[in-house]
PDB file of all heavy atoms in Angstrom:
ATOM      1  N   ALA N 657     -78.322  -6.651-100.590  1.00 58.00           N
ATOM      2  CA  ALA N 657     -78.418  -8.045-100.197  1.00 58.00           C
ATOM      3  C   ALA N 657     -79.502  -8.250 -99.154  1.00 58.00           C
ATOM      4  O   ALA N 657     -79.810  -7.357 -98.368  1.00 58.00           O
ATOM      5  CB  ALA N 657     -77.077  -8.506 -99.637  1.00 58.00           C
ATOM      6  N   PHE N 658     -80.151  -9.353 -99.256  1.00 62.00           N
ATOM      7  CA  PHE N 658     -81.195  -9.706 -98.283  1.00 62.00           C
ATOM      8  C   PHE N 658     -80.816 -10.985 -97.596  1.00 62.00           C
ATOM      9  O   PHE N 658     -80.315 -11.943 -98.218  1.00 62.00           O
ATOM     10  CB  PHE N 658     -82.515  -9.861 -99.024  1.00 62.00           C
ATOM     11  CG  PHE N 658     -82.923  -8.612 -99.747  1.00 62.00           C
ATOM     12  CD1 PHE N 658     -82.532  -8.406-101.073  1.00 62.00           C
ATOM     13  CD2 PHE N 658     -83.644  -7.632 -99.068  1.00 62.00           C
ATOM     14  CE1 PHE N 658     -82.903  -7.231-101.706  1.00 62.00           C
ATOM     15  CE2 PHE N 658     -84.012  -6.471 -99.717  1.00 62.00           C
ATOM     16  CZ  PHE N 658     -83.632  -6.268-101.042  1.00 62.00           C
ATOM     17  N   LEU N 659     -81.022 -10.984 -96.344  1.00 67.00           N
ATOM     18  CA  LEU N 659     -80.690 -12.197 -95.558  1.00 67.00           C
ATOM     19  C   LEU N 659     -81.752 -13.279 -95.766  1.00 67.00           C
ATOM     20  O   LEU N 659     -82.932 -12.989 -95.665  1.00 67.00           O
ATOM     21  CB  LEU N 659     -80.585 -11.820 -94.084  1.00 67.00           C
ATOM     22  CG  LEU N 659     -79.992 -12.888 -93.173  1.00 67.00           C
ATOM     23  CD1 LEU N 659     -78.574 -13.236 -93.545  1.00 67.00           C
ATOM     24  CD2 LEU N 659     -80.090 -12.434 -91.731  1.00 67.00           C
ATOM     25  N   THR N 660     -81.301 -14.441 -96.088  1.00 73.00           N
ATOM     26  CA  THR N 660     -82.262 -15.526 -96.254  1.00 73.00           C
ATOM     27  C   THR N 660     -81.666 -16.840 -95.741  1.00 73.00           C
ATOM     28  O   THR N 660     -80.446 -16.929 -95.497  1.00 73.00           O
ATOM     29  CB  THR N 660     -82.689 -15.633 -97.717  1.00 73.00           C
ATOM     30  OG1 THR N 660     -83.783 -16.560 -97.817  1.00 73.00           O
ATOM     31  CG2 THR N 660     -81.576 -16.121 -98.605  1.00 73.00           C
ATOM     32  N   GLY N 661     -82.479 -17.842 -95.575  1.00 78.00           N
ATOM     33  CA  GLY N 661     -81.978 -19.108 -95.043  1.00 78.00           C
ATOM     34  C   GLY N 661     -82.178 -20.247 -96.016  1.00 78.00           C
ATOM     35  O   GLY N 661     -83.174 -20.294 -96.763  1.00 78.00           O
ATOM     36  N   LEU N 662     -81.209 -21.178 -96.060  1.00 82.00           N
ATOM     37  CA  LEU N 662     -81.332 -22.343 -96.923  1.00 82.00           C
ATOM     38  C   LEU N 662     -81.089 -23.598 -96.081  1.00 82.00           C
ATOM     39  O   LEU N 662     -80.219 -23.651 -95.229  1.00 82.00           O
ATOM     40  CB  LEU N 662     -80.285 -22.299 -98.032  1.00 82.00           C
ATOM     41  CG  LEU N 662     -80.530 -21.366 -99.216  1.00 82.00           C
ATOM     42  CD1 LEU N 662     -79.392 -21.500-100.207  1.00 82.00           C
ATOM     43  CD2 LEU N 662     -81.860 -21.613 -99.860  1.00 82.00           C
ATOM     44  N   LYS N 663     -81.925 -24.596 -96.350  1.00 84.00           N
ATOM     45  CA  LYS N 663     -81.732 -25.858 -95.674  1.00 84.00           C
ATOM     46  C   LYS N 663     -81.190 -26.862 -96.709  1.00 84.00           C
ATOM     47  O   LYS N 663     -81.784 -27.022 -97.770  1.00 84.00           O
ATOM     48  CB  LYS N 663     -83.072 -26.346 -95.104  1.00 84.00           C
ATOM     49  CG  LYS N 663     -82.956 -27.480 -94.132  1.00 84.00           C
ATOM     50  CD  LYS N 663     -84.288 -27.687 -93.389  1.00 84.00           C
ATOM     51  CE  LYS N 663     -84.049 -27.742 -91.895  1.00 84.00           C
ATOM     52  NZ  LYS N 663     -85.254 -27.401 -91.142  1.00 84.00           N
ATOM     53  N   VAL N 664     -80.091 -27.471 -96.358  1.00 84.00           N
ATOM     54  CA  VAL N 664     -79.471 -28.435 -97.292  1.00 84.00           C
ATOM     55  C   VAL N 664     -79.498 -29.836 -96.691  1.00 84.00           C
ATOM     56  O   VAL N 664     -79.081 -30.027 -95.542  1.00 84.00           O
ATOM     57  CB  VAL N 664     -78.001 -28.044 -97.571  1.00 84.00           C
ATOM     58  CG1 VAL N 664     -77.379 -28.940 -98.624  1.00 84.00           C
ATOM     59  CG2 VAL N 664     -77.900 -26.580 -97.999  1.00 84.00           C
ATOM     60  N   ILE N 665     -80.032 -30.793 -97.417  1.00 83.00           N
ATOM     61  CA  ILE N 665     -80.076 -32.158 -96.905  1.00 83.00           C
ATOM     62  C   ILE N 665     -79.362 -33.102 -97.926  1.00 83.00           C
ATOM     63  O   ILE N 665     -79.515 -32.916 -99.141  1.00 83.00           O
ATOM     64  CB  ILE N 665     -81.544 -32.642 -96.724  1.00 83.00           C
ATOM     65  CG1 ILE N 665     -82.174 -31.790 -95.611  1.00 83.00           C
ATOM     66  CG2 ILE N 665     -81.604 -34.126 -96.358  1.00 83.00           C
ATOM     67  CD1 ILE N 665     -83.639 -31.978 -95.459  1.00 83.00           C
ATOM     68  N   GLY N 666     -78.590 -34.023 -97.380  1.00 81.00           N
ATOM     69  CA  GLY N 666     -77.891 -34.910 -98.300  1.00 81.00           C
ATOM     70  C   GLY N 666     -77.270 -36.087 -97.555  1.00 81.00           C
ATOM     71  O   GLY N 666     -77.554 -36.306 -96.369  1.00 81.00           O
ATOM     72  N   THR N 667     -76.452 -36.837 -98.277  1.00 78.00           N
ATOM     73  CA  THR N 667     -75.762 -37.958 -97.639  1.00 78.00           C
ATOM     74  C   THR N 667     -74.384 -37.471 -97.269  1.00 78.00           C
ATOM     75  O   THR N 667     -73.678 -36.841 -98.056  1.00 78.00           O
ATOM     76  CB  THR N 667     -75.655 -39.163 -98.589  1.00 78.00           C
ATOM     77  OG1 THR N 667     -75.142 -38.684 -99.834  1.00 78.00           O
ATOM     78  CG2 THR N 667     -76.994 -39.794 -98.816  1.00 78.00           C
ATOM     79  N   ASP N 668     -74.001 -37.811 -96.064  1.00 75.00           N
ATOM     80  CA  ASP N 668     -72.731 -37.312 -95.518  1.00 75.00           C
ATOM     81  C   ASP N 668     -71.547 -37.928 -96.236  1.00 75.00           C
ATOM     82  O   ASP N 668     -71.586 -39.070 -96.623  1.00 75.00           O
ATOM     83  CB  ASP N 668     -72.669 -37.635 -94.018  1.00 75.00           C
ATOM     84  CG  ASP N 668     -71.616 -36.821 -93.351  1.00 75.00           C
ATOM     85  OD1 ASP N 668     -71.159 -35.800 -93.971  1.00 75.00           O
ATOM     86  OD2 ASP N 668     -71.201 -37.150 -92.246  1.00 75.00           O
ATOM     87  N   ARG N 669     -70.548 -37.144 -96.465  1.00 75.00           N
ATOM     88  CA  ARG N 669     -69.277 -37.644 -96.981  1.00 75.00           C
ATOM     89  C   ARG N 669     -68.166 -36.681 -96.560  1.00 75.00           C
ATOM     90  O   ARG N 669     -68.452 -35.516 -96.210  1.00 75.00           O
ATOM     91  CB  ARG N 669     -69.348 -37.788 -98.498  1.00 75.00           C
ATOM     92  CG  ARG N 669     -69.426 -36.475 -99.240  1.00 75.00           C
ATOM     93  CD  ARG N 669     -69.159 -36.623-100.736  1.00 75.00           C
ATOM     94  NE  ARG N 669     -69.437 -35.391-101.426  1.00 75.00           N
ATOM     95  CZ  ARG N 669     -68.534 -34.409-101.601  1.00 75.00           C
ATOM     96  NH1 ARG N 669     -67.338 -34.518-101.111  1.00 75.00           N
ATOM     97  NH2 ARG N 669     -68.892 -33.322-102.258  1.00 75.00           N
TER      98      ARG N 669
END
Side-chain angles (χ1 to χ4, degrees):
F658 300 91
L659 190 62
T660 189
L662 284 182
K663 193 167 231 158
V664 185
I665 294 169
T667 50
D668 197 15
R669 68 167 172 88

